[in-house]
Amino acid sequence: GAGVSQSPSNKVTEKGKDVELRCDPISGHTALYWYRQRLGQGLEFLIYFQGNSAPDKSGLPSDRFSAERTGESVSTLTIQRTQQEDSAVYLCASSAPGHDNSPLHFGNGTRLTVT
Amino acid sequence: AQRVTQPEKLLSVFKGAPVELKCNYSYSGSPELFWYVQYSRQRLQLLLRHISRESIKGFTADLNKGETSFHLKKPFAQEEDSAMYYCALRLSYGQNFVFGPGTRLSVLP
């Protein structure tokens, strides 16, 4: 079946512009996660959704970052007034409900470059 | 705060040699531990999880609560094992996964 899908796969934007990154999780997965991976570094947690609510948004680096999820499905990560330090690969992952130790299933990521 | 450490950023071994990728965590309870792998030009994917006590692609990992470690081992490394490996911790169902910084394994011919 289809895995986690992210779009666009690549995004180049000018500093100061807003960007929207999209994630389509695996159908039926109620948990959805956003991570950021800067070049040569590990995964940095941003936000996690259970259904349409976000019980943990502690990783969002500033108020320029926001995310929403609708219909317990698609999620959008929005970065306003982008800065060069926002350049990174943004990864989305989802996991199945009701299963202990359910692992994360990752998308291919969106590579964001802020010039 | 819960943390996952992977002390080696890069690990190089020769084909056929044993390999151990270290992972330590800080959490006083009973966490769920995972190893994820990212091969070149592929998405991050689950390799194995401690609860399953399984061997995947010849890799095993044992949770040592006394040492708070979950090291990944393989007795004979293969060139196709070259990849980026991440250790991850989840506190309980539905909560955030905390990832280590990753170890790049390079298996030399």
Side-chain angles (χ1 to χ4, degrees), chain A residues 13 16-17 19 21 36-38 61-62 64-65 79-90 110-114:
Chain A
T13 189
K17 301 277 189 188
V19 295
L21 311 180
R36 176 167 74 175
Q37 187 174 31
R38 289 192 167 120
S62 75
R64 295 187 295 105
F65 287 72
I79 309 174
Q80 295 178 309
R81 306 180 302 282
T82 51
Q83 303 294 312
Q84 286 185 331
E85 64 262 26
D86 298 335
S87 295
V89 175
Y90 289 81
T110 293
R111 182 177 298 279
L112 175 66
T113 304
V114 182

Side-chain angles (χ1 to χ4, degrees), chain A residues 3-4 30 33 35 37 40-43 45 48 50 56 95-104 106-108, chain B residues 9 32 34 36 38 41-46 49-51 84 86 90 93-102:
Chain A
V4 176
T30 57
Y33 302 76
Y35 289 88
Q37 187 174 31
Q41 298 188 22
L43 277 74
F45 169 75
Y48 135 75
Q50 185 60 42
D56 189 349
S95 68
H99 295 281
D100 288 342
N101 303 296
S102 174
L104 294 177
F106 282 88
N108 278 325
Chain B
K9 203 165 185 177
E32 301 168 25
F34 303 79
Y36 283 82
Q38 188 168 29
R41 288 185 292 278
Q42 294 187 29
R43 64 182 67 192
L44 199 58
Q45 58 188 283
L46 176 71
R49 62 191 106 172
H50 91 269
I51 197 73
M84 194 75 180
Y86 294 93
R90 184 171 67 186
Y93 173 69
Q95 295 222 12
N96 174 28
F97 282 73
V98 177
F99 281 81

Side-chain angles (χ1 to χ4, degrees), chain B residues 18-34:
Chain B
V19 63
E20 181 180 53
L21 288 85
K22 292 185 167 51
C23 170
N24 288 87
Y25 64 91
S26 60
Y27 178 58
S28 56
S30 294
E32 301 168 25
L33 275 298
F34 303 79

Side-chain angles (χ1 to χ4, degrees), chain B residues 73-90:
Chain B
K73 300 177 185 178
K74 184 168 182 176
F76 308 103
Q78 303 299 314
E79 289 182 67
E80 56 265 31
D81 296 328
S82 296
M84 194 75 180
Y85 291 80
Y86 294 93
C87 184
L89 157 73
R90 184 171 67 186

